[in-house]
Structure formats: C-alpha cells, structure tokens
Amino acid sequence: MTDPQSLQADSTTEFEQLRPRLFGVAYRILGVVADAEDVVQETWIAWQAADRTGVAAPSAYLTKVVSNRALNRLRDTRRRREDYVGPWLPEPLDTSRRPDEAAEIADSVSYALMVMLEQLTPLERAAFVLREVFDVPTSEVAESLASTPAAVRQLVARARAHLTERDRAYDVDPSEHQRIARAFLVALAGGDLDGATALLAPDVVLVTDGGGVRRAALRPIEGPDRVLRFAVGLATKNPGYTVEVRELNGVPSAVIRRGEEVTTMHLRIVDGRVDRIFLVRNPGKLGDLGLTPNPG
C-alpha cells in the first residue's frame, strides 16, 4: 500500500518543478506579478485537494487549472482598468532576481510584446499565450478554455492578425539589445541629444504609466523630437537621478531612481533602432524590483 505521506511529497515535488512554467503562463495572461503569484498559489491549493489518481499528465492538468484561473482574473481586472488614469502597462518582472522564471522567459515574450497583448480580448490572449508561446497542443488549449479546437484556431488567428510582425518579434539578441540600450541611455544621461536621436526610429513611440500617482503623459508620444523633449523634461525636473541597467523581463532595461521615485524603462529595438519606449512610474507596479529608496 502506498504511503499517503509519500504521495503528498511526490505531488509537492511535481508542483514545484512546474511552478516556474505555471507562473509564466499566469504572468503572460495577466501582466501583473502579484496576481500571477496569487493564481499559482490558488492552483497549488486546488492541486492539494484534487483526486490525482486519474491525472495522467500533471503538467497539462495544472496548465489547464492555472490558465482558467488567470483568464477569470483577467476578465475581472479588465473591467477595473477602465478607470485607470492614463495608459496601463504590464508590471515589470525582475528576472535578475528570479532565475527560475528567467529561464522560462528567456526565449519567450518580451516586455514589448506583453504590452501589445493588451490589444487582445482575454480569450484571444489566453489562446495565444498557450498555443504560440508555450506550444500547448490545440486540443489541450481547447480543453483549458472550455472551447473547441476550431474555435481555438480562430482565436489564435485573430490574435496574430492584431499583432504586427514587429509585435511578434520576441526573439531578442541580449547583447545587441544591451549595446543599443546602453548607448541610448548614456547619450540621454549625458545630454547628447544628437547621439540619442540617431538611435531612435523615425516612428518611435513613448508610452508612460504613472497610474495617476507619478507625473506621466496621458497619451502616447510620437516622433523622435517629441519623445526626446519629454525625456529631457522629465530629467530636468528630477535632477540627481541614478540609472542602473538591470535585466527585466529577460532583457537589459533601465531602473531610474531619485529618492523614493523609481521608473523602469523598457525598449523595443527593431533593425538596430529604438522604436518603442515604455516607462513604468506607478510605484504600485514596481514591487518586484525589491528596491529600498535612495536618499535624496
């Protein structure tokens, strides 16, 4: 007869081995670290209470549970985001502090694509994440979403139609990204506007998320001149800031600090130029960075 304690230990080991993947699914569907962690914890509780004797494939079973719970939470939070002040950007994930999650994210979804996923309906997003990112078979995606394979294929096709080739280009060369990101930040911090402009794409767009708490543009800013004017103005109003290059969402990004104010800068680089800049300034979204305030 199998020892119940042994079964419990085995189920715990199985779950912990799958935890980074489950977190990855939840985070990509939700875009919020704390919500993703909550969903994974709820999945763990459900796993402990489940009759596992009929579970042939724990990975598929748990992926179904976590994606269902994440989808339900996304539907709820989308309604609440309607009252959000200014653009809503995903919460940065500090992969420099999360080696297990970093391995899941390394060849997956960039921060820029996380932003673009906000264009999708909750069902489109869940289907795209499961099928395109995690390569879950269509039949299993259908089961996870209480749908049919034909409907899942339509959801994924619609999601891909919403996303441009640039949006879907989530294979980022870290060394190239770091080189261009560092060059742009050094030029900007040193007041070398010509050098910074040379690294911007003609159609560059800057999006800021202050959540009504920190100073931020309420609409996207387009074009190199306007983007640089906003960045310089922000720097002028916040003298004494420090810039640290840190791995966020699997690629080099910037953490800009002045006293208690923290901003993360995420760049999308296409053809050697920065074509999207995302600034997250809402302190409620920066908890995963584990920072203590700088004096100042």
Side-chain angles (χ1 to χ4, degrees):
M1 184 173 180
T2 306
D3 181 1
Q5 288 186 339
S6 177
L7 283 175
Q8 181 78 6
D10 288 345
S11 70
T12 300
T13 301
E14 278 182 324
F15 189 91
E16 290 306 316
Q17 289 173 343
L18 292 168
R19 184 182 288 272
R21 173 186 172 87
L22 300 176
F23 175 84
V25 170
Y27 172 69
R28 286 167 183 76
I29 292 175
L30 291 163
V32 180
V33 175
D35 284 357
E37 289 175 334
D38 286 348
V39 164
V40 172
Q41 186 61 24
E42 291 169 6
T43 302
W44 161 246
I45 293 171
W47 177 241
Q48 291 296 95
D51 178 6
R52 297 186 292 276
T53 56
V55 178
S59 178
Y61 176 87
L62 290 169
T63 298
K64 174 183 176 180
V65 174
V66 81
S67 56
N68 257 295
R69 291 177 181 272
L71 180 59
N72 289 337
R73 185 169 292 220
L74 178 61
R75 285 168 169 152
D76 180 55
T77 57
R78 279 280 175 93
R79 288 189 287 271
R80 288 190 273 115
R81 286 178 198 171
E82 293 176 2
D83 298 324
Y84 196 80
V85 178
W88 189 97
L89 291 175
E91 193 172 310
L93 183 68
D94 190 349
T95 42
S96 68
R97 301 172 60 239
R98 292 171 171 266
D100 292 337
E101 284 83 354
E104 282 289 329
I105 284 177
D107 298 316
S108 179
V109 179
S110 69
Y111 186 85
L113 183 57
M114 290 286 292
V115 175
M116 300 306 137
L117 291 178
E118 291 298 315
Q119 304 172 51
L120 308 181
T121 68
L123 266 177
E124 288 170 348
R125 181 168 182 161
F128 182 87
V129 166
L130 291 172
R131 183 71 194 98
E132 296 288 291
V133 178
F134 286 92
D135 200 26
V136 176
T138 301
S139 59
E140 291 183 18
V141 177
E143 186 177 351
S144 294
L145 302 182
S147 187
T148 65
V152 167
R153 283 190 284 271
Q154 288 184 341
L155 287 169
V156 173
R158 287 205 299 266
R160 291 181 65 84
H162 281 301
L163 303 173
T164 67
E165 283 298 326
R166 283 184 172 186
D167 295 335
R168 296 199 301 269
Y170 46 79
D171 288 332
V172 180
D173 179 352
S175 61
E176 178 74 356
H177 192 111
Q178 186 163 11
R179 181 184 67 79
I180 296 171
R182 284 185 183 277
F184 177 74
L185 291 168
V186 167
L188 199 60
D192 179 9
L193 299 187
D194 289 338
T197 301
L199 293 168
L200 294 177
D203 58 349
V204 63
V205 177
L206 182 147
V207 181
T208 59
D209 179 348
V213 181
R214 299 285 190 233
R215 182 176 180 267
L218 296 180
R219 294 180 179 82
I221 298 171
E222 301 178 2
D225 291 341
R226 295 183 65 199
V227 165
L228 282 178
R229 278 202 301 271
F230 180 85
V232 170
L234 202 61
T236 302
K237 290 178 171 60
N238 294 278
Y241 62 89
T242 62
V243 178
E244 171 196 356
V245 177
R246 184 186 293 200
E247 183 187 287
L248 304 177
N249 292 79
V251 296
S253 307
V255 177
I256 305 163
R257 305 176 64 187
R258 179 183 179 275
E260 295 184 356
E261 289 200 14
V262 179
T263 301
T264 60
M265 176 185 286
H266 310 264
L267 307 177
R268 186 175 76 175
I269 297 171
V270 177
D271 297 330
R273 295 238 184 142
V274 177
D275 83 328
R276 292 291 183 274
I277 302 174
F278 305 104
L279 299 181
V280 181
R281 308 201 72 227
N282 182 350
K285 293 188 175 184
L286 301 175
D288 197 54
L289 273 61
L291 297 175
T292 56
N294 275 339

